[in-house]
Amino acid sequence: SCRISAKAKEEKAETFRPPTFDFRAYLAEKAAAVNTALDLAIPLRQPLKVHESMRYSLLAGGKRVRPILCIAACELVGGQGTAAMPAACAVEMVHTMSLMHDDLPCMDNDDLRRGKPTNHKVFGEGLAILGGDALLAGAFEHVARATAEEGIPADKIVRSIAELAKCVGAEGLVAGQVVDISSEGLESVTLQDLEFIHLHKTAALLEAAVVMGAIIGGGDDEKVEKLRKFARSIGLLFQVVDDILDITRSSDELGKTAGKDLASDKTTYPKILGLDKSRLFADKLKKVALEQLAGFDPITAAPLLALTNYIARRGN
């Protein structure tokens, strides 16, 4: 009878599936909450022009993947999602700043972003730079002040601010952009160079989002580091998929200029690895990401599992 019950247990374990998770509804609900919080975080005030520039790019839509990751990571380790909302907004402010500055003529020189004219096309270069600067400063003010109002202990807030600062500076976004700019048109860009660019330019901010959420949610060091590795993997995955889409989709489908990487002779994963190997690399990154979530409760991990699959399969 002992053997029978063990076998029955095994079969029962195999048939257990967490309740189906409605990812679209989750995304829509969280994105709406983030949009409301962002609207409140940067109100329209004097000087009007700079606040208009900030709000034009900050509230231009987008999938809000980074803030949603921040909230999901907080909930995964047992925290209240609302406690992570200021950090989620701060990450999106930093992300928006990086797009405003990336699109400038002296950087990537882009006219379109999310299907609309880029910030400097509407407000001029001066306000695009200053609006971005104001969002960057505002991100730190917001996460410090509003997270304290949520009753989160000061040591956790300080740790999360340090994560955000590191991901923006010369060890993060800036490092990636510098190497990206200096690599343009070079024949000798290696796979290592490309990985450096994207670990810093794309993955760093996803990492900050996830790690800040985990810290604010009260996750221990082991959980925080697992989630850090998870975020780095999906950060690179995000970029590999982006590179593949750039050469396989049209501008209308993407909402931004398609084929731009090829036209500006940018080094991409398909350029170095070819399309098939790029797809294999994306599969490997997805596998590594999902492995990091294996030890967590499958029900609370459902949003991050679904987000990983979504990043791997997205169409724009």
Side-chain angles (χ1 to χ4, degrees):
S1 73
C2 182
R3 274 216 313 276
I4 291 166
S5 64
K7 192 169 187 299
K9 265 186 194 165
E10 215 172 284
E11 280 170 5
K12 194 177 174 196
E14 273 176 24
T15 54
F16 173 74
R17 293 276 179 277
T20 53
F21 176 66
D22 188 344
F23 180 58
R24 279 175 182 273
Y26 177 87
L27 263 191
E29 180 205 328
K30 292 290 191 238
V34 168
N35 287 333
T36 301
L38 287 169
D39 187 24
L40 292 169
I42 307 288
L44 197 52
R45 51 164 75 119
Q46 294 295 339
L48 281 181
K49 268 280 171 259
V50 74
H51 286 91
E52 280 169 3
S53 162
M54 292 160 79
R55 288 172 59 85
Y56 176 80
S57 291
L58 187 64
L59 305 177
K63 294 173 281 288
R64 306 301 188 204
V65 169
R66 289 156 194 82
I68 291 170
L69 277 168
C70 184
I71 294 163
C74 178
E75 291 174 341
L76 176 65
V77 298
Q80 288 292 319
T82 47
M85 185 59 91
C89 289
V91 167
E92 196 68 354
M93 288 176 203
V94 169
H95 175 55
T96 303
M97 171 280 295
S98 75
L99 302 181
M100 288 162 79
H101 287 181
D102 262 13
D103 290 337
L104 288 166
C106 63
M107 297 268 199
D108 288 350
N109 194 20
D110 228 323
D111 297 346
L112 266 189
R113 169 72 66 183
R114 291 171 180 156
K116 291 167 72 179
T118 46
N119 197 288
H120 66 274
K121 284 282 166 194
V122 178
F123 295 95
E125 287 177 41
L127 278 167
I129 293 168
L130 291 168
D133 292 345
L135 280 173
L136 179 58
F140 287 96
E141 183 204 346
H142 188 66
V143 74
R145 187 176 38 76
T147 313
E149 287 167 8
E150 291 289 339
I152 298 300
D155 62 322
K156 288 190 170 64
I157 299 175
V158 170
R159 263 183 79 193
S160 61
I161 287 172
E163 285 289 338
L164 186 60
K166 188 180 173 192
C167 97
V168 182
E171 286 183 64
L173 284 176
V174 170
Q177 184 71 347
V178 167
V179 176
D180 193 16
I181 288 171
S182 52
S183 300
E184 268 180 45
L186 291 183
E187 286 302 311
S188 59
V189 180
T190 65
L191 194 57
Q192 283 73 23
D193 295 332
L194 194 61
E195 190 151 302
F196 180 93
I197 291 166
H198 296 315
L199 272 175
H200 292 78
K201 211 179 151 178
T202 306
L205 200 47
L206 288 170
E207 183 183 326
V210 168
V211 171
M212 287 170 85
I215 290 168
I216 289 164
D220 61 29
D221 289 353
E222 189 192 346
K223 284 179 178 162
V224 168
E225 290 316 308
K226 265 192 171 181
L227 288 170
R228 187 188 297 283
K229 191 172 177 187
F230 163 80
R232 280 189 189 162
S233 302
I234 62 165
L236 271 186
L237 176 63
F238 201 89
Q239 192 56 52
V240 179
V241 172
D242 214 49
D243 284 358
I244 292 167
L245 287 172
D246 187 70
I247 57 171
T248 57
R249 295 294 171 102
S250 71
S251 294
D252 281 351
E253 287 173 300
L254 291 174
K256 60 183 178 183
T257 318
K260 192 164 183 307
D261 294 341
L262 274 175
S264 64
D265 200 25
K266 265 208 161 157
T267 304
T268 63
Y269 282 98
K271 188 176 168 184
I272 291 184
L273 294 175
L275 205 50
D276 289 345
K277 279 191 175 164
S278 296
R279 289 191 167 123
L280 283 174
F281 185 43
D283 289 342
K284 183 187 155 198
L285 288 166
K286 179 183 161 183
K287 187 167 170 279
V288 172
L290 294 177
E291 278 165 7
Q292 307 316 308
L293 300 176
F296 291 97
D297 173 353
I299 292 170
T300 48
L304 289 180
L305 285 162
L307 264 163
T308 306
N309 287 320
Y310 169 73
I311 288 169
R313 287 198 308 258
R314 72 203 177 93
N316 65 4

